[in-house]
């Protein structure tokens, strides 16, 4: 049986150290080959950070619904390729000089709703790009940097490589994918850049992810669980750094420095009496601790639905499952919801279904319904290529309200006015009503709002205020009787770290 060999301490990687820990950090970019710059997204715009001065320059100006996503810097540090979500609702591949200027669009196809630039060829002529089509086929492609048709090297049904890289000599690429016959284990493959020869590089079972070529081109690094592994192309492998945590490798510089994103901290769902939310809080889940968020009470208050993080790390949205908790028996059931991303879950007003905001496997963002009897997921209001988070929504008798670009609509997609009108529509409360309302209790008794770390209760008799935990995160729900709150609390951060490789 294959076993990793742990190197002597002199050959282990140097201790990792943080590079950026500020609130603007996103994990959607990469370091330049010379180690001078890091690309990332800052408030929707593509930005370049100088690793010596720690200052950022934004290269784009996002407007409306547009924003930048994944990016990769050319080997000569003169250009950056990036994904851009356009005003028409799909991603296109663009390129910009690092010094600034006008972007050039290299790939634009509504049927390939998502693009992810991963690496440039050493000569700067092609960009290795992942295309994800609306029919759930992902394609490994080379897009000419000077313009022209994309060259598709391999098509993969229902598979999304988490990382791809090009060898220093430009002859092959590596990527991770599911192991043959498995829906859980992942392995790593090499593929010649002409698409003719593919080879499996990791034979042992496990979760082998995020491959990146070493500067010598004769070996590569990847994660197995939370261990960083150095592996020759002939198969021998050694752990060089254990306990990497929730790491997301971004790139290796020519000097042998691995930059990686790191998700730190945890979140969980807690239950508390409305009048004693700090001292009276108790953890909701015993089966899936420290990975839960976004709870929602059932209409009768006897069950709770929430989201629970699952699987290996991913650069985009976390992989999330939907769990229902019986508050009397304590039984937790993972529901077979199949969606690409789920942002929020609430019960329908009649309790027969779960309403979900997010994105399905066909690239449609919006609202969906999961029938608890038939266990089928049905789209309610969707938009091809829409935002991964879907829409904010509020269940009501016979349907729901949802917010589309700041406009309030009903389940028939008919205009219902502004979000500020919602309290009056739900319970006849007078306007104006405070903004920032995130928790609703249906009429006739009261409406609740979370603002900062305060829980506000509004009734026709006035307003009361209760303090919430200081580490509160978005996502809360009030039981129908108004006595219990389910809330999300914890601290999670995104950071950029570096480790010098042996």
């Amino acid at each position: 049986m294959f076993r990793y060999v742990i190197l002597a301490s002199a050959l282990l990687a140097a201790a990792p150290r943080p590079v950026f820990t500020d609130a603007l950090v996103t994990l959607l970019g990469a370091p330049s080959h010379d180690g001078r710059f890091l690309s990332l997204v800052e408030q929707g715009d593509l930005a370049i950070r100088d690793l010596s001065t720690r200052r950022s320059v934004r290269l784009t100006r996002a407007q409306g619904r547009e924003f930048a996503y994944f990016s990769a810097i050319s080997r000569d540090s003169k250009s950056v390729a990036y994904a851009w979500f356009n005003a028409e609702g799909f991603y296109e591949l663009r390129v910009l000089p690092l010094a600034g200027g006008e972007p050039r669009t290299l790939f634009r196809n509504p049927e390939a709703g998502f693009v992810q630039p991963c690496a440039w060829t050493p000569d700067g002529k092609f960009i290795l790009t992942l295309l994800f089509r609306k029919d759930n086929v992902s394609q490994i492609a080379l897009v000419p940097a000077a313009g022209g048709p994309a060259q598709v090297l391999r098509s993969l049904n229902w598979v999304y490589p988490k990382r791809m890289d090009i060898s220093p000599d430009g002859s092959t690429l590596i990527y991770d994918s599911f192991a043959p016959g498995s829906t859980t284990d992942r392995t790593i493959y090499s593929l010649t850049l002409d698409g003719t020869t593919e080879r499996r590089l990791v034979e042992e079972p496990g979760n082998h992810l995020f491959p990146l070529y070493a500067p010598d081109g004769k070996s590569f690094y990847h994660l197995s669980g939370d261990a960083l592994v150095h592996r020759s192309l002939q198969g021998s492998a050694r752990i060089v750094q254990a306990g990497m945590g929730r790491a997301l490798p971004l790139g290796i510089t020519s000097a042998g420095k691995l930059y990686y994103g790191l998700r730190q901290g945890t979140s969980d769902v807690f239950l508390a009496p409305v009048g004693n939310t700090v001292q009276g809080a108790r953890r909701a889940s015993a089966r899936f601790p420290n990975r839960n968020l976004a709870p929602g009470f059932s209409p009768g208050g006897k069950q709770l639905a929430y989201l629970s993080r699952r699987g290996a790390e991913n650069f985009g949205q976390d992989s999330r499952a939907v769990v229902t908790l019986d508050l009397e028996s304590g039984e937790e059931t993972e529901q077979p919801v199949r969606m690409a991303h789920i942002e929020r879950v609430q019960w329908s007003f009649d309790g027969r279904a779960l309403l979900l905001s997010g994105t399905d496997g066909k690239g449609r963002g919006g609202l969906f319904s999961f029938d608890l009897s038939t266990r089928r997921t049905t789209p309610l209001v969707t938009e091809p290529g829409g935002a991964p988070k879907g829409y904010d929504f509020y269940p009501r008798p016979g349907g729901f309200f949802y917010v589309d670009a700041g406009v309030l609509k009903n389940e028939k997609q008919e205009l219902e006015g502004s979000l500020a009108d919602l309290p009056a529509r739900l319970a006849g409360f007078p306007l104006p009503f405070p903004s920032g309302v995130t928790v609703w209790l249906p009429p006739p008794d009261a409406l609740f709002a979370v603002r900062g770390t305060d829980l506000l209760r509004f009734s026709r008799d006035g307003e009361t205020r209760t303090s919430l935990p200081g580490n509160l995160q978005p996502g809360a729900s009030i039981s129908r009787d108004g006595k219990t709150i389910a809330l999300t609390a914890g601290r999670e951060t995104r950071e950029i770290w570096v480790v010098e490789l042996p």
Side-chain angles (χ1 to χ4, degrees):
M1 180 180 293
F2 179 90
R3 293 183 180 179
Y4 291 122
V5 176
I6 299 184
L7 296 178
S9 58
L11 296 179
L12 290 175
R17 59 179 176 83
V19 180
F20 298 117
T21 59
D22 59 90
L24 291 177
V25 165
T26 56
L27 310 180
L28 302 174
S32 60
H33 194 61
D34 58 15
R36 296 170 57 199
F37 306 108
L38 181 76
S39 65
L40 69 165
V41 176
E42 291 188 355
Q43 298 179 338
D45 282 313
L46 174 68
I48 298 294
R49 284 200 182 185
D50 188 307
L51 289 170
S52 60
T53 66
R54 306 176 67 84
R55 294 180 179 177
S56 295
V57 175
R58 294 192 189 183
L59 301 183
T60 62
R61 290 291 180 266
Q63 296 181 352
R65 61 187 298 187
E66 297 181 306
F67 58 86
Y69 213 50
F70 287 99
S71 58
I73 299 174
S74 61
R75 300 279 179 114
D76 60 8
S77 297
K78 293 183 178 180
S79 302
V80 56
Y82 62 102
W84 183 260
F85 187 77
N86 61 32
E88 298 173 52
F90 61 93
Y91 291 87
E92 56 190 48
L93 181 65
R94 295 183 175 184
V95 66
L96 262 173
L98 259 67
E102 292 299 316
R104 291 186 295 115
T105 299
L106 301 181
F107 180 87
R108 191 177 192 277
N109 185 349
E111 295 306 312
F114 181 75
V115 301
Q116 179 181 340
C118 297
W120 291 64
T121 55
D123 59 11
K125 293 183 178 180
F126 294 93
I127 301 161
L128 176 63
T129 305
L130 178 69
L131 309 177
F132 197 77
R133 302 187 330 206
K134 292 182 179 180
D135 60 1
N136 299 307
V137 172
S138 65
Q139 296 178 318
I140 299 173
L142 292 174
V143 178
Q151 303 175 19
V152 176
L153 306 182
R154 181 71 80 245
S155 294
L156 305 167
N157 289 327
W158 293 90
V159 174
Y160 187 105
K162 293 178 181 288
R163 168 58 70 186
M164 300 193 297
D165 195 22
I166 294 178
S167 62
D169 65 3
S171 63
T172 61
L173 64 90
I174 49 176
Y175 71 96
D176 55 30
S177 182
F178 287 112
S182 176
T183 58
T184 55
D185 283 4
R186 294 181 76 98
T187 190
I188 296 171
Y189 298 89
S190 68
L191 178 67
T192 55
L193 251 63
D194 59 8
T196 60
T197 305
E198 186 174 66
R199 184 165 69 96
R200 181 174 174 176
L201 299 178
V202 181
E203 295 294 338
E204 65 269 18
N207 221 11
H208 309 292
L209 302 164
F210 309 121
L212 290 167
Y213 275 105
D216 63 9
K218 299 177 182 179
S219 57
F220 63 96
Y221 292 85
H222 68 91
L223 287 186
S224 289
D226 67 349
L228 179 64
V229 176
H230 182 221
R231 186 184 298 265
S232 75
L233 294 175
Q234 285 68 45
S236 61
R238 293 172 174 172
I239 294 176
V240 295
Q241 186 73 55
M244 295 282 286
R246 299 171 60 189
L248 296 159
L250 303 177
I252 298 175
T253 67
S254 58
K257 293 182 179 181
L258 168 64
Y259 286 83
Y260 63 96
L262 188 64
R263 291 189 174 114
Q264 300 267 44
T266 62
S267 68
D268 216 336
V269 171
F270 296 84
L271 297 166
V274 165
N276 186 20
T277 57
V278 178
Q279 288 79 18
R282 62 181 177 87
R283 198 182 302 272
S285 173
R287 185 180 173 192
F288 310 107
N290 297 321
R291 60 177 69 182
N292 308 309
L293 68 159
F297 275 106
S298 66
K302 295 183 179 181
Q303 296 187 78
L304 189 74
Y306 61 88
L307 303 180
S308 189
R309 182 171 55 84
R310 291 288 183 275
E313 291 298 310
N314 191 17
F315 282 97
Q317 306 293 340
D318 286 336
S319 176
R320 296 171 176 176
V322 177
V323 177
T324 53
L325 167 65
D326 187 304
L327 294 173
E328 294 181 348
S329 68
E331 181 180 357
E332 296 175 78
T333 304
E334 188 168 325
Q335 301 293 342
V337 179
R338 297 291 179 263
M339 291 176 58
H341 173 70
I342 308 171
E343 183 70 17
R344 185 179 170 213
V345 57
Q346 292 289 326
W347 297 75
S348 64
F349 203 85
D350 59 13
R352 297 178 180 177
L354 298 175
L355 303 182
L356 309 147
S357 62
T359 310
D360 67 1
K362 297 182 179 180
R364 297 176 296 186
L367 296 180
F368 302 82
S369 174
F370 176 76
D371 190 296
L372 290 165
S373 297
T374 64
R375 298 192 171 188
R376 292 182 179 178
T377 304
T378 304
L380 298 175
V381 180
T382 62
E383 179 182 7
K389 295 183 178 181
Y391 299 113
D392 199 5
F393 68 95
Y394 305 89
R396 67 164 181 171
F400 54 88
F401 292 106
Y402 71 101
V403 182
D404 182 8
V407 176
L408 186 66
K409 297 181 180 180
N410 61 28
E411 66 280 354
K412 298 179 182 179
Q413 304 183 45
E414 297 171 341
L415 186 67
E416 288 280 350
S418 69
L419 181 60
D421 297 331
L422 189 53
R425 294 182 180 275
L426 285 177
F429 279 72
L431 296 175
F433 197 78
S435 61
V437 175
T438 57
V439 179
W440 295 94
L441 180 67
D445 297 320
L447 294 174
F448 287 82
V450 172
R451 181 182 299 161
T453 57
D454 288 329
L455 175 65
L456 309 179
R457 180 184 184 275
F458 299 92
S459 70
R460 290 177 176 81
D461 297 328
E463 171 188 333
T464 60
R465 184 185 305 263
T466 303
S467 294
L468 295 173
N471 59 348
L472 185 73
Q473 292 189 10
S477 179
I478 299 287
S479 60
R480 187 67 63 90
D481 61 9
K483 296 180 179 180
T484 307
I485 182 172
L487 52 87
T488 306
R491 294 290 186 197
E492 290 189 303
T493 61
R494 293 170 298 187
E495 304 173 355
I496 303 294
W497 285 58
V498 66
V499 59
E500 295 189 20
L501 300 172

